[in-house]
Amino acid sequence: MTSWRKWAVVPAAALVLTACGNGTEEPTTTEDPAEDTAEPTTEDTEEPTDEEPAEPEPDEGAEEEGEEIARADADLVIWADDTRAPILEPLAEEFGEAEGISVAVQEVPFDQIRDLVSVQGPAGQGPDVFIGAHDWLGELAENGVVEPLDLGGAEGDYLEVATQAFSYDGTNYGLPYSIENIALVRNTELAPEAAETLEDMVEVGTSAVDAGDADLPVAWQQDPGDPFHNYWVVTGAGGYVFGQQDDGSYDAEDVGIDSEGGLRAAEIFGELAEQGVVNSDVTYDVMIDTFASGRAPFAVTGPWALPDFGDVDYVVEPLPSVDGNPAGPFVGVQGVMVSAFAENSLAATTFVLDYLGQEEVQLELYEAGGRPPALQSAFDAVSDDPDVAGFGAAGETGRPMPAIPEMGAVWTAWTDAYQNIFAGNDPEAAFEEAAEQIRNTIDAG
């Protein structure tokens, strides 16, 4: 441990949080997944010069996306976005005083943390601790920039799906603090009864449109196809994206999009397209506007959309069954990770394990971000909130979003497959072509 220094909390950053057009936060684990396919880069693109290195500018943060952020001058440096940083700052201050070290919490846009950690960490300019999404793990772990984190006996204190999500190749890499998944949001005026099955949802929705009471049977974003918001149908039909081992880890050699269940899902989406239930024109904003204006009896979405639903009377419920089987949406998990290049690894690990796993901290993070806590006791404490209970019930059958790097080969191919189906092409052929493209991309490395 380094010598005691003057206390330093150095907030920094222009804030460019992931946000939808109307200012609400979109799902952080899946933000624009189709673009989430780029290989990470650790190369320094600047040509070396003979000039004296300039003194670093004051840490004013990243004004533009991708701009390097100078590591704060402190023994322990934490990177978090502007939603979580204010919660972490008093904890960091308490920890610093207790340990006799300086601690800095730097605000960094959530959607830049992964790339900046990958590039700046090996160069000694990254944080010791950072928040992030579980589906970054494949990239971070393969590149050796994240440190394993042993939760010890506390592992059982968290929702199982949360700890599964932060496990990569059987090793845990983070302390989870929130979960997020989609559910079925029902307009109780247009649809007084819960939709138990997919057929129920379609019947109520199309009847409302036929009666002139609704513009869409279901506000279900695609734009042009959306594997994330469609996955519950795939799992309900018996399909999957990648096979899972007994320990829950994903097997990239087992692509399940063209499995028997996957092809059944393709068939279902062909039928839904013919019925006008899904189409490529429904963007996120269209989904919001249609449901918020009372012109759709259902919305398939996550907690990030609720603030925009205005005065609509709604309930949040599990997604309807498909072919008699429970539907399992993707589940995203956010957590706190320790850099493999941490200057003070012991302090970083101690701070994460001893401070951020507290129930009151998880509740504060829930209040700030609106996502259900990952700690079971904190989740139970807020489960009387009907929205939390609804999304929690929908997530009980969910599957952690695969964190393996091969997931990067999936998004574009599968999105194209949905677009082809909605355009009237053969559904099974569309999924078979997508699966073949994914296998080829994976094989090509």
Side-chain angles (χ1 to χ4, degrees):
M1 185 178 297
T2 58
S3 60
W4 187 89
R5 296 181 187 176
K6 181 180 179 181
W7 174 258
V9 175
V10 188
L15 305 178
V16 193
L17 264 182
T18 304
C20 63
N22 44 24
T24 56
E25 212 176 332
E26 288 187 79
T28 50
T29 52
T30 58
E31 51 202 3
D32 205 355
E35 296 181 0
D36 194 17
T37 58
E39 289 293 324
T41 175
T42 57
E43 296 179 359
D44 185 349
T45 57
E46 295 184 2
E47 293 293 333
T49 70
D50 294 327
E51 299 177 357
E52 289 291 328
E55 289 293 326
E57 296 294 328
D59 191 0
E60 296 177 349
E63 296 295 335
E64 297 179 0
E65 185 174 356
E67 182 178 345
E68 185 172 299
I69 295 176
R71 174 188 163 95
D73 182 16
D75 299 323
L76 182 68
V77 174
I78 302 161
W79 281 5
D81 64 347
D82 68 340
T83 301
R84 288 84 187 176
I87 297 169
L88 300 184
E89 284 176 358
L91 297 169
E93 181 176 1
E94 179 183 342
F95 180 75
E97 291 176 345
E99 297 294 324
I101 62 173
S102 58
V103 184
V105 178
Q106 289 183 278
E107 288 185 9
V108 179
F110 192 94
D111 60 354
Q112 295 184 31
I113 291 176
R114 172 177 50 180
D115 290 343
L116 290 172
V117 166
S118 296
V119 174
Q120 294 189 203
Q125 289 299 312
D128 302 288
V129 174
F130 58 97
I131 66 163
H134 88 272
D135 56 347
W136 301 356
L137 278 184
E139 176 181 322
L140 298 180
E142 291 294 333
N143 289 340
V145 296
V146 62
E147 189 77 2
L149 187 68
D150 185 1
L151 297 179
E155 180 175 343
D157 296 338
Y158 294 86
L159 301 177
E160 183 177 5
V161 69
T163 51
Q164 280 187 352
F166 268 99
S167 176
Y168 184 76
D169 275 351
T171 300
N172 184 76
Y173 285 96
L175 182 141
Y177 66 76
S178 71
I179 63 172
E180 59 184 0
N181 56 265
I182 63 170
L184 188 67
V185 184
R186 175 168 58 90
N187 180 321
T188 55
E189 181 177 348
L190 293 177
E193 303 295 331
E196 300 293 339
T197 68
L198 178 62
E199 290 79 8
D200 291 342
M201 184 186 76
V202 171
E203 181 179 353
V204 172
T206 53
S207 295
V209 172
D210 292 343
D213 296 329
D215 297 327
L216 292 174
V218 185
W220 189 349
Q221 72 179 84
Q222 297 297 329
D223 191 27
D226 194 323
F228 175 75
H229 286 87
N230 296 343
Y231 195 61
W232 62 280
V233 175
V234 175
T235 58
Y240 53 93
V241 57
F242 291 117
Q244 288 183 270
Q245 312 279 9
D246 292 340
D247 63 359
S249 61
Y250 284 97
D251 180 2
E253 294 185 357
D254 182 8
V255 177
I257 292 173
D258 58 350
S259 64
E260 180 179 352
L263 296 181
R264 169 59 185 150
E267 181 183 15
I268 291 173
F269 277 106
E271 295 168 356
L272 293 174
E274 289 181 357
Q275 295 168 309
V277 177
V278 290
N279 70 75
S280 294
D281 296 330
V282 180
T283 64
Y284 179 83
D285 289 340
V286 169
M287 180 275 292
I288 290 289
D289 291 344
T290 307
F291 191 83
S293 62
R295 299 297 297 172
F298 304 102
V300 175
T301 190
W304 48 86
L306 297 186
D308 295 316
F309 284 163
D311 297 329
V312 172
D313 290 328
Y314 69 81
V315 292
V316 179
E317 299 171 328
L319 294 152
S321 65
V322 179
D323 288 349
N325 302 312
F330 276 133
V331 177
V333 183
Q334 293 181 7
V336 189
M337 292 171 265
V338 174
S339 170
F341 300 95
E343 293 187 6
N344 195 334
S345 180
L346 177 59
T349 302
T350 302
F351 175 69
V352 171
L353 294 178
D354 292 355
Y355 281 70
L356 304 186
Q358 301 177 57
E359 181 178 325
E360 55 268 33
V361 175
Q362 296 253 329
L363 290 173
E364 284 190 66
L365 291 166
Y366 157 71
E367 293 291 343
R371 291 166 170 79
L375 187 69
Q376 183 70 61
S377 61
F379 183 89
D380 293 342
V382 299
S383 60
D384 57 346
D385 181 318
D387 294 342
V388 172
F391 283 112
E396 287 180 356
T397 55
R399 317 290 200 274
M401 174 83 75
I404 55 178
E406 290 83 357
M407 192 65 186
V410 171
W411 298 115
T412 299
W414 215 358
T415 297
D416 291 345
Y418 283 114
Q419 187 175 18
N420 287 334
I421 293 172
F422 302 157
N425 295 310
D426 180 77
E428 292 191 6
F431 268 34
E432 288 172 340
E433 290 170 6
E436 187 63 20
Q437 181 178 338
I438 292 165
R439 291 189 183 96
N440 290 338
T441 302
I442 292 173
D443 290 344

